[in-house]
Amino acid sequence: MVTVAASGKVLLAGGYLVLDQQYSGLVISTSAQFRTHVCLHAPTESVSVVDSFVVVVTSRHMQQSWTYRICLLPQFQMIASPQNQSENRFVAETIRLCLKFLLLTKSAEFIFSKLQGRDMMIELLSDVCFYSQHHNLRAAGLPLRSSSFHLLGDRVAAAPTFTSSSSSSS
């Protein structure tokens, strides 16, 4: 498994439009972090499709997951699963850009040799203070301040993870 962490940001002006390069905004960094866990896992589908693999992205905060079939040959294609609960264009575009960059630097054959027939599981995590926790704090009888966040512990809703002791990464 590989884990990547990045400092969080607060958008003071511009909202999510700043994700589009034609717009600007004012952003400050915070000490809280976003983390992404990536691991390879046994195929999620019983039917194997040649020259493709599946990427599953889960978000504990949003309690959702998104599944995509990635075809690298003869050309790059990313197909959203019809079972996806919703569309998240930010997740989809991030995966698309990362894979296209990887294809610019490595061959499809190299990528398949590293996957070794496994699918990719990506788990998105963020520190609890990124999201409004007033309902959880009130339910726990805790004061409404940031110093109470760590006291919530397991009371914050969490979706199951794909992490497994039998999974390995290359």
Side-chain angles (χ1 to χ4, degrees), residues 3 10 18 24 28 30-31 49-50 55 59 97 104 111 121 123 132 166:
T3 299
V10 176
V18 300
S24 61
I28 60 171
T30 69
S31 61
V49 178
V50 177
V55 173
S59 168
L97 289 173
L104 287 173
I111 296 167
M121 303 297 176
E123 184 178 23
S132 176
S166 64

Side-chain angles (χ1 to χ4, degrees), residues 5-11 27-35 126-127 129-130:
S7 294
K9 295 156 194 66
V10 176
L11 301 172
V27 180
I28 60 171
S29 177
T30 69
S31 61
Q33 291 189 334
F34 283 100
R35 286 169 307 287
S126 58
D127 288 347
C129 58
F130 276 112

Side-chain angles (χ1 to χ4, degrees), residues 44-82:
T44 55
E45 298 176 1
S46 58
V47 177
S48 177
V49 178
V50 177
D51 295 333
S52 73
F53 60 97
V54 171
V55 173
V56 177
V57 180
T58 62
S59 168
R60 288 184 184 192
H61 171 71
M62 292 185 268
Q63 297 182 348
Q64 290 190 21
S65 67
W66 302 274
T67 303
Y68 304 94
R69 161 104 18 225
I70 309 298
C71 302
L72 300 180
L73 297 172
Q75 64 184 22
F76 177 82
Q77 285 186 310
M78 185 170 139
I79 304 159
S81 169

Side-chain angles (χ1 to χ4, degrees), residues 144-157:
L144 298 179
R145 56 179 175 250
S146 61
S147 61
S148 299
F149 291 151
H150 75 281
L151 300 172
L152 286 174
D154 292 335
R155 287 176 262 195
V156 177

